[in-house]
């Protein structure tokens, strides 16, 4: 396949023209780009091309195989849906930036080597932050800054890991890396930051809800799924991931129950869903990796759908707090219905998409004897129905009538949501059509057994019963305007205060020490003149060997400081 | 009402007068009770189905239940687990609020 354009280039380079277009032409062009990219991906099929040599390293720009195939399709579909949803956006930069972002995601999952991966990894970070800043205002600016620092940090970690890895193995090929290989830990942590590992997750729940009503839809699709792909490529079967994933499924649901901002609830629920994928990758069997990939595919669609429905609510009402909404089913019945399709999909109702992909991971956990993990995943499954399946639609569209009366979401938004809902249902009803045949490994799993359906329905109905009972008895915590502290508190409060205090102390010291230091400098200069001046000791010529020695010592010190 | 852009948008369109505030179906408490009753019925049905399949499995129709005969093989395991998990989840989250909840502007004046 020599000479074919890398699929990522279609959206990235295509985005350059967008700012020069207006009106219908702009719309048509915007929507044509992801479709053209998808057509290109489909036409090249499974392939490797774009080989180049850089500094003696073999690079492969594009590698489409069993593992990266579905991700490539998915990101084009997600970009298309997001762009349709964002047609009403007033921001002129949002759509072109989203195209670059989506293109970078395609490039990252199709990268055949770590250097190419790193380049797209950085484009992902830098392009996506503009989707947060597109909201404008102090709040989103600061959230975007915090987000960018973490994302760039992930990139730096990745680069460090790649350098160590390449130095030790002599190759930058992106295949199985493993925790034990040199640089493996740094690379996994870099992936882990973007995959929102526990304690490294707050950038997601902090920044995503601060984006525009449409920006969050793009954000939810790409970064974390690229990370899931990267983990699957480099660290499948790494047992630590089983436990990390299980923790990710469990802890966010507590936050999701008490969070008021409904898009932040979805942020926590994203981590929960990512947990299933990470866990599947950690288990590492064919069934489990299939499950991780299938769930990533479905999650982008149903989580996108949920974010779109909440985006539509935000667009119409200007508010997304559970405490202020309610009763919107009267004004926005279609949005409410589509939201509930997303809710049913994420909750893994039979015939909706989560059912056919989450069960692959859970089945694998059981087969491999991870009983505790399986119980955690089951707990998380009940919890996800509770907070994403019930809470989101309930507090936005039902609950008590907030008295807010608005128009139904605009048609462009309804169309975008309908596409996502339709794909979720196709995958849920007929997984053997699109999803299962294109997974990395052959699927022998049969999701629609009566045992599976009955057990899943029990989990769901009795979770709903618990919600109902808690609500009727008044035990359910009410939606309150509030923020809940997460681990980023450590950075945003004590460390922040410490930095400010240090800055102040530094300033005081500066004022007091400046005269003394000036004096010292003056004396040093005088001394230097004596030593280095026309007749100075150090002005004599020295052998090259000692210079090299000094340079080496300096470099060693520099390296040491870097590693500390 | 009015516009509140920079894109925590508020674009009502021209909603005023479009909705002459008809009562929605859930303004009628009877409909709410119907939904709740429907949920009770659904719980009962799947629970009974599970018990039936358990007896069938004992009578030798194994494919009706999971092949794994751990605790998930017990009748009503999933119902019990789902219910208890959610109650504990919510009660724990209530307690978490006491420690973690701050007013909305907490970080703004940092």
């Amino acid at each position: 396949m020599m000479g074919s354009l890398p699929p990522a280039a279609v959206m990235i380079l295509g985005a350059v023209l967008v700012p020069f277009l207006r009106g219908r032409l702009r719309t048509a062009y915007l929507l044509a780009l992801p479709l053209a990219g998808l057509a290109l991906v489909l036409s090249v099929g499974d392939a490797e091309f774009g080989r180049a040599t850089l500094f003696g390293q073999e690079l492969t720009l594009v590698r489409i195989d069993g593992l990266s195939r579905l991700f490539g399709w998915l990101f084009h579909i997600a970009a298309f849906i997001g762009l349709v949803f964002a047609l009403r956006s007033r921001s002129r930069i949002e759509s072109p930036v989203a195209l670059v972002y989506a293109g970078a995601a395609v490039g990252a999952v199709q990268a055949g080597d770590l250097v190419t991966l790193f380049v797209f990894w950085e484009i992902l970070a830098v392009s996506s932050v503009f989707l947060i800043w597109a909201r404008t205002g102090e709040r989103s600016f600061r959230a975007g800054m915090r987000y960018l620092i973490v994302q760039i940090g992930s990139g730096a970690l990745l680069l460090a890991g790649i350098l160590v890895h390449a130095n030790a193995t002599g190759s930058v090929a992106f295949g199985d890396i493993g925790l034990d290989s040199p640089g493996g830990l740094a690379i996994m942590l870099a992936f882990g930051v973007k995959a929102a590992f526990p304690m490294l997750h707050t950038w997601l729940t902090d920044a995503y809800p601060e984006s525009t009503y449409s920006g969050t839809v793009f954000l939810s699709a790409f970064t974390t799924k690229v990370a899931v792909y990267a983990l699957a490529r480099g660290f499948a079967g790494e047992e630590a991931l089983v436990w990390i994933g299980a923790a990710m499924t469990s802890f966010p649901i507590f936050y999701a129950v008490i969070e008021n901002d409904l898009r932040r609830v979805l942020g926590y629920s994203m981590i929960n869903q990512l947990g299933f994928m990470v866990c599947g990758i950690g288990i590492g069997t064919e069934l489990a990796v299939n499950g991780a990939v299938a769930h990533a595919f479905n999650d982008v669609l149903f989580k996108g759908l949920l974010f779109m429905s909440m985006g539509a609510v935000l667009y119409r009402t200007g508010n997304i707090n559970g405490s202020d909404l309610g009763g919107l089913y009267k004004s926005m019945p279609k949005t409410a219905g589509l939201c509930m399709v997303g809710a049913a999909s994420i909750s893994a109702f039979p015939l909706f998409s989560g059912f056919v992909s989450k069960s692959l991971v859970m089945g694998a956990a059981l087969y491999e004897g991870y009983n505790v993990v399986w119980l955690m995943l089951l707990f998380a499954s009940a919890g996800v129905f509770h907070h994403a399946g019930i809470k989101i639609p309930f507090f936005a569209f039902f609950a008590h009538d907030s008295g807010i009366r608005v128009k139904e979401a605009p048609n462009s938004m309804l169309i975008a949501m309908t596409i996502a809902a339709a794909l979720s249902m196709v995958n849920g009803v007929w997984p053997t059509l699109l999803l299962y045949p294109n997974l990395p490994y052959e699927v022998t799993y049969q999701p629609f057994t009566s045992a599976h359906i009955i057990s899943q329905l029990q989990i769901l109905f009795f979770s709903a019963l618990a919600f109902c009972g808690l609500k009727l008895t008044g035990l359910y915590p009410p939606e309150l305007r509030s923020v809940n502290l997460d681990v980023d508190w450590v950075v945003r409060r004590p460390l922040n205060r410490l930095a400010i205090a240090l800055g102040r102390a530094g300033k005081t010291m500066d004022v007091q020490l400046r005269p003394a230091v000036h004096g010292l400098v003056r004396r040093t200069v005088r001394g230097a003149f004596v030593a280095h001046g026309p007749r100075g000791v150090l002005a004599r010529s020295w052998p090259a060997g000692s210079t090299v020695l000094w340079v080496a010592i300096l470099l060693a010190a520099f390296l040491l400081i870097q590693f500390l | 009402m009015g516009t509140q852009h920079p894109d925590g948008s508020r674009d009502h369109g021209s909603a005023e007068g479009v909705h002459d505030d008809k009562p929605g179906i859930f303004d009628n408490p009877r409909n709410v009770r119907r939904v709740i009753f429907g949920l009770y019925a659904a719980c009962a049905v799947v629970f009974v189905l599970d018990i039936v399949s358990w007896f069938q499995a004992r009578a030798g129709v194994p494919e009706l239940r999971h092949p794994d005969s751990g605790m998930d093989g017990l009748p009503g395991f999933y119902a019990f687990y789902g219910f208890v998990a959610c109650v504990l989840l919510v009660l724990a989250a209530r307690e978490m609020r006491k420690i973690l909840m701050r007013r909305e502007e907490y970080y703004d004046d940092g």
Side-chain angles (χ1 to χ4, degrees), chain A residues 474-492:
Chain A
L475 279 171
Y476 196 87
E479 296 294 293
L480 297 173
R481 287 163 162 262
S482 59
V483 294
N484 297 303
L485 306 185
D486 202 335
V487 288
D488 60 342
W489 176 80
V490 178
V491 179
R492 294 175 71 180

Side-chain angles (χ1 to χ4, degrees), chain A residues 90 135-136 314-316 318 329-330 375 386 405-406 450-451 455 458 475 478 481-483 485 489 493, chain B residues 5-12 19 21 24 26-27 50 64 78-79 81 86 90 94 97 100 102 104 106:
Chain A
R90 285 181 204 83
R135 176 87 174 253
T136 67
L314 177 63
Y315 178 77
R316 281 304 193 206
Y329 76 94
K330 295 180 201 169
L375 283 175
H386 208 81
R405 295 291 178 270
V406 291
S450 62
S455 54
Q458 279 185 88
L475 279 171
R481 287 163 162 262
S482 59
V483 294
L485 306 185
W489 176 80
R493 270 302 155 105
Chain B
H5 302 311
D7 263 17
S9 221
R10 187 195 290 166
D11 200 334
H12 295 289
H19 293 281
D21 216 10
F26 295 118
D27 286 335
D50 192 54
L64 283 174
Y78 288 92
Y81 195 84
C86 278
V90 170
R94 270 169 64 103
R97 239 186 192 173
L100 298 176
R102 297 288 184 279
E104 214 172 10
Y106 178 75

Side-chain angles (χ1 to χ4, degrees), chain A residues 30-116:
Chain A
L30 271 178
L31 299 183
L33 280 176
L35 294 181
L38 182 62
L40 180 59
V41 169
L42 291 175
S43 73
V44 298
D46 285 7
E48 267 188 46
F49 56 94
R51 290 224 168 73
T53 312
L54 184 72
F55 303 128
Q57 291 292 350
E58 183 80 10
L59 305 187
T60 308
L61 217 51
V62 180
R63 168 189 52 193
I64 305 173
D65 63 2
L67 191 55
S68 60
R69 187 193 304 139
L70 270 181
F71 283 95
W73 301 1
L74 172 66
F75 291 155
H76 287 99
I77 296 169
F80 179 78
I81 293 173
L83 287 166
V84 173
F85 186 79
L87 282 180
R88 286 277 188 129
S89 171
R90 285 181 204 83
S91 166
R92 298 218 50 92
I93 62 155
E94 193 171 297
S95 296
V97 160
L99 277 167
V100 174
Y101 179 37
V106 172
V109 295
Q110 294 182 347
D113 65 272
L114 291 164
V115 176
T116 309

Side-chain angles (χ1 to χ4, degrees), chain A residues 187-204:
Chain A
I187 296 177
M188 192 174 98
L189 281 178
F191 294 168
V193 170
K194 283 211 207 261
F197 278 9
M199 314 295 266
L200 306 174
H201 68 277
T202 55
W203 60 270
L204 193 161

Side-chain angles (χ1 to χ4, degrees), chain A residues 88-91 94 134-137 139 142 211-214 250-251 253-255 257-260 313-319 321 329-332 366-367 371 374-376 378-379 382-384 386-387 398 401 403-408 445 449-468 470 472 474-486 488-490 492-493 496-497 500, chain B residues 1-28 31-32 35-54 56 61-110:
Chain A
R88 286 277 188 129
S89 171
R90 285 181 204 83
S91 166
E94 193 171 297
R135 176 87 174 253
T136 67
R139 208 180 148 82
R142 294 173 76 163
S211 177
T212 63
Y213 60 86
S214 45
S250 301
F251 89 88
I253 57 184
F254 293 93
Y255 274 95
V257 169
I258 52 175
E259 178 58 50
N260 189 29
V313 168
L314 177 63
Y315 178 77
R316 281 304 193 206
T317 67
N319 197 321
N321 288 332
Y329 76 94
K330 295 180 201 169
S331 302
M332 308 176 80
L366 212 50
Y367 292 144
N371 289 328
W374 181 77
L375 283 175
M376 287 169 81
L378 198 61
F379 171 68
V384 74
H386 208 81
H387 72 256
F398 304 101
D401 191 344
I404 297 173
R405 295 291 178 270
V406 291
K407 273 175 80 168
E408 179 58 89
Y445 188 83
T449 62
S450 62
H452 186 202
I453 291 171
I454 291 173
S455 54
Q456 182 64 12
L457 285 179
Q458 279 185 88
I459 282 273
L460 294 174
F461 288 149
F462 281 84
S463 300
L465 187 67
F467 179 86
C468 191
L470 291 162
L472 290 176
L475 279 171
Y476 196 87
E479 296 294 293
L480 297 173
R481 287 163 162 262
S482 59
V483 294
N484 297 303
L485 306 185
D486 202 335
D488 60 342
W489 176 80
V490 178
R492 294 175 71 180
R493 270 302 155 105
N496 182 21
R497 294 268 158 91
I500 292 170
Chain B
M1 301 262 158
T3 44
Q4 166 219 321
H5 302 311
D7 263 17
S9 221
R10 187 195 290 166
D11 200 334
H12 295 289
S14 49
E16 280 79 348
V18 175
H19 293 281
D20 42 337
D21 216 10
K22 296 179 293 227
I25 49 168
F26 295 118
D27 286 335
N28 181 351
N31 289 332
V32 177
V35 171
I36 295 174
F37 179 78
L39 176 63
Y40 294 156
C43 287
V45 168
V46 291
F47 189 75
V48 167
L49 279 176
D50 192 54
I51 304 289
V52 169
S53 80
W54 185 73
Q56 282 185 327
V61 200
E63 65 271 23
L64 283 174
R65 295 186 73 78
H66 279 283
D68 323 84
S69 51
M71 31 193 174
D72 60 312
L74 298 171
F77 167 78
Y78 288 92
F80 178 78
Y81 195 84
F83 187 84
V84 171
C86 278
V87 171
L88 290 181
L89 166 68
V90 170
L91 294 183
R94 270 169 64 103
E95 295 307 306
M96 272 171 60
R97 239 186 192 173
K98 292 179 185 161
I99 307 166
L100 298 176
M101 192 167 75
R102 297 288 184 279
R103 74 212 146 67
E104 214 172 10
E105 306 79 17
Y106 178 75
Y107 282 123
D108 295 343
D109 40 56

